[in-house]
Amino acid sequence: MPAASPSTVFNPATSAGPHPTLTIYNTLSKKKEPFETVEQGKVGIYLCGPTVYGKAHIGHMVGPVLFDTIKRYLTFSGYDVQWVVNITDVDDKLIKAANEQGITMAEVADLNIQDYNDNLAALGVTEIDDFPKATECMGDIVDFIESLVKEGVAYESQGDVYFDVAKDADYGKLSNRTVEGMQGDGGGAADRKRSAADFALWKSAKAGEPSWDSPWGKGRPGWHIECSAMSKKLLGETFDIHGGGLDLVFPHHENEIAQSESCHHKPMVKYWAHNGLLRKDAAAGKIGGKAEREEGAAADDAGGKMSRSKGAGGLADLIAKQGGERIRFFLLRTHYRSTVLFSEDAIEEAAVGLETFYRLFKRFTRITKADFYALTPPTSRGASTIALGDDPTLNAAEACRDKFIAAMDDDFNTGGAIAELFELARITNKYCEDHKLEESADPADVASLELLMTTIKELANILGLFRVPPAKVGGGDELLAKVMGVVIDLRADARKAKNFAVADAIRDGLKPAGLTIEDRPSGAEWTGGGDGATEAVMQMLIELRATARNSKDFATADALRDKLAAIGVTIEDRAGGTEWSAK
């Protein structure tokens, strides 16, 4: 596809027709399509949100992180974007949780909504405009169901209301399934339905459960109707992008289409955008289970599911260990339609990549005395900081910017965009080294450096990265800092004494902990860390001490012990091995 050019920018507010370079993959058509909005210059996005019966797990963050980035990019491209994420706060599992905890369903929902929002904030998801709750939209839901009954595509049965899939000739078009090949819910509902494939729009009340008034008696809505009603209320009868995980294609999104298009007689959505699932490893099912509410969903996953009831969760703990930016970066490294294999080792690997940028930001501060995070970049694709000219470095940086935009234009390819961000960091580091900016900085060279760093900030903002300095993660940061001070001293002593075996052992021992030491004119500095870093460094020092004693290098062994004692860390040799403790 042609590369985007900042000099020939499409203005969505004034330019008619599809965007000349921006494409999006549509699950309905099974191909990439030119991006053209329902209303000129405006984009409506609806993303299916959580059912808030328990704490959030990392699978709940995949869609929000991706669509937060998509909204940022569309805004950068000149569109006025409204993004809606619904909250399902009435459900069998919520009722069960309330009964088990001895609190109301609303209290269960409120606790878990707060947890969900806290996790979104930690991952930098800040662009959501509307958070409608099902319980706050009951009037809209009942009205929608009434319209379907009047259209003759829904029917009442013993206080329940069902959608009659036989009345929808297009049913199955999103998932490529036929009505004949589908199986609906069994159990007590089977004898109240005309067909096994029919699905509930309204469920009659059970004793002791929350319920709302309706023309069919007290009850509560089915899952699928909630999204049709809330998207219509906030985005209209037809809107631009509907997002969600691949596990929602059937039955949830298929049923949304049936409801909305049978009611309005027009397309519900222009583009169905489904993200790949997060899997714990190559063999297991996706994290979070199939669509967690859908009792009758067919099991497509080859491995066992990891739902909240089977151990997924603990996202707040994961964020405390790893930090939100690491997790966001990890999720954005691959294309949104790809499967993401999750492990903490994979997040640690992503953290190593982030250190490339953190070190560059520190270098920028050393050279300019300025704060990278305080830079103010352009906020639109037509307003590049860099003007093409005779400077090959600035021209190369502008080429990176164009390639970044081209990647994002190509179905929001965040993995390709991140590759250009790394290339821009490489170009910037090389510029610092070639011009010896840390030794003596010419004002013109510093000005060029600021242009390069501002471009990095501009593109990182689109990805939601490097907006604020990274939070300390992993716990024990104060102790880690002290221990790393000892490591730097030991390394300096070893190099001064030409004891390169010790110096090399320190360098190699830090790598598994994700730590590096860099020598600067002002002295050595260390970067990295995370969960388990302090323990890993201490084990490295214990091994170093044992090696020194075995080789009769008692000076190194004693210096190590004494320096650790000075910061309150004690090493003790016991029958079962050497142990350490800190005051």
Side-chain angles (χ1 to χ4, degrees), residues 360 364 368 370 372 375-378 383-389 391 393-398 401 424 427-428 431-432 437 443-459:
L360 177 57
F364 174 68
T368 67
F372 168 82
L375 294 174
T376 306
S384 174
T385 300
I386 298 173
L388 295 177
D391 188 321
T393 298
L394 295 182
N395 290 345
E398 184 65 4
R401 182 181 187 272
L424 189 52
I427 289 170
T428 305
Y431 184 82
C432 292
L437 295 187
D445 292 339
V446 170
S448 293
L449 174 61
E450 289 177 348
L451 291 176
L452 293 168
M453 297 301 291
T454 300
T455 302
I456 291 174
K457 188 74 163 69
E458 173 192 25
L459 303 183

Side-chain angles (χ1 to χ4, degrees), residues 9 20 50 56 112 115 130 219 243 341 445 560:
V9 171
N112 293 312
D115 172 73
D130 298 286
L341 299 180
D445 292 339
L560 191 156

Side-chain angles (χ1 to χ4, degrees), residues 106-152:
E107 289 172 324
V108 171
D110 287 345
L111 287 171
N112 293 312
I113 289 170
Q114 184 60 56
D115 172 73
Y116 182 72
N117 288 338
D118 289 345
N119 293 323
L120 291 178
L123 268 64
V125 178
T126 61
E127 299 300 302
I128 301 172
D129 297 293
D130 298 286
F131 262 127
K133 298 178 184 177
T135 57
E136 296 173 347
C137 299
M138 283 299 169
D140 303 284
I141 293 170
V142 170
D143 290 345
F144 205 115
I145 297 172
E146 282 193 281
S147 297
L148 291 173
V149 172
K150 290 176 183 177
E151 288 284 342

Side-chain angles (χ1 to χ4, degrees), residues 561-581:
R561 180 199 60 208
D562 295 343
K563 288 177 184 291
L564 287 174
I567 63 169
V569 175
T570 302
I571 291 179
E572 293 186 84
D573 297 309
R574 299 184 183 279
T578 303
E579 297 179 357
W580 69 276
S581 60

Side-chain angles (χ1 to χ4, degrees), residues 54 247 489:
D247 57 334
D489 285 348

Side-chain angles (χ1 to χ4, degrees), residues 229-512:
M230 287 188 275
S231 64
K232 175 188 177 182
K233 177 179 182 179
L234 291 166
L235 298 175
E237 295 178 354
T238 302
F239 55 95
D240 299 287
I241 302 174
H242 195 315
L246 277 171
D247 57 334
L248 296 181
V249 171
F250 183 85
H252 185 48
H253 290 165
E254 193 73 73
N255 290 350
E256 281 190 61
I257 291 175
Q259 295 162 163
S260 295
E261 297 189 1
S262 295
C263 183
H264 305 132
H265 304 288
K266 63 178 69 172
M268 177 188 182
V269 174
K270 287 207 68 174
Y271 307 102
W272 287 89
H274 290 95
N275 58 269
L277 303 179
L278 193 71
R279 298 180 183 276
K280 189 174 182 183
D281 54 48
K286 66 100 177 178
I287 292 177
K290 192 162 251 323
E292 289 181 312
R293 291 189 39 162
E294 192 55 45
E295 299 289 339
D300 293 331
D301 295 323
K305 296 186 297 182
M306 184 180 174
S307 64
R308 277 184 284 204
S309 62
K310 295 184 180 180
L315 177 57
D317 292 339
L318 182 65
I319 290 170
K321 288 180 181 179
Q322 299 288 357
E325 187 156 76
R326 286 184 180 184
I327 299 170
R328 184 182 183 108
F329 182 69
F330 163 73
L331 293 175
L332 292 176
R333 289 190 309 168
T334 55
H335 191 280
Y336 75 90
R337 287 190 283 116
S338 300
T339 297
V340 180
L341 299 180
F342 166 74
S343 69
E344 288 207 46
D345 286 344
I347 294 178
E348 292 285 359
E349 180 185 332
V352 173
L354 284 176
E355 288 297 329
T356 298
F357 295 96
Y358 297 151
R359 289 195 297 270
L360 177 57
F361 303 160
K362 290 180 179 180
R363 171 179 254 182
F364 174 68
T365 298
R366 288 195 301 270
I367 293 168
T368 67
K369 310 306 180 191
D371 181 5
F372 168 82
Y373 295 95
L375 294 174
T376 306
T379 57
S380 66
R381 64 193 284 166
S384 174
T385 300
I386 298 173
L388 295 177
D390 297 329
D391 188 321
T393 298
L394 295 182
N395 290 345
E398 184 65 4
C400 282
R401 182 181 187 272
D402 284 351
K403 290 176 183 177
F404 180 103
I405 290 173
M408 292 298 290
D409 272 353
D410 186 12
D411 192 29
F412 310 109
N413 182 0
T414 56
I418 285 174
E420 294 306 321
L421 204 59
F422 272 104
E423 176 62 12
L424 189 52
R426 186 195 68 78
I427 289 170
T428 305
N429 274 317
K430 186 174 186 300
Y431 184 82
C432 292
E433 290 153 11
D434 288 349
H435 291 77
K436 301 185 183 338
L437 295 187
E438 294 205 59
E439 297 175 17
S440 60
D442 179 88
D445 292 339
V446 170
S448 293
L449 174 61
E450 289 177 348
L451 291 176
L452 293 168
M453 297 301 291
T454 300
T455 302
I456 291 174
K457 188 74 163 69
E458 173 192 25
L459 303 183
N461 279 356
I462 294 169
L463 300 174
L465 298 171
F466 313 138
R467 295 169 56 248
V468 295
K472 294 285 187 180
V473 298
D477 293 286
E478 185 176 343
L479 178 58
L480 177 60
K482 291 179 179 179
V483 172
M484 284 302 297
V486 168
V487 171
I488 287 172
D489 285 348
L490 288 170
R491 176 174 171 268
D493 292 346
R495 295 173 79 181
K496 185 176 180 180
K498 299 188 184 301
N499 189 345
F500 298 115
V502 170
D504 291 346
I506 290 173
R507 178 198 62 206
D508 296 341
L510 291 176
K511 287 180 181 178

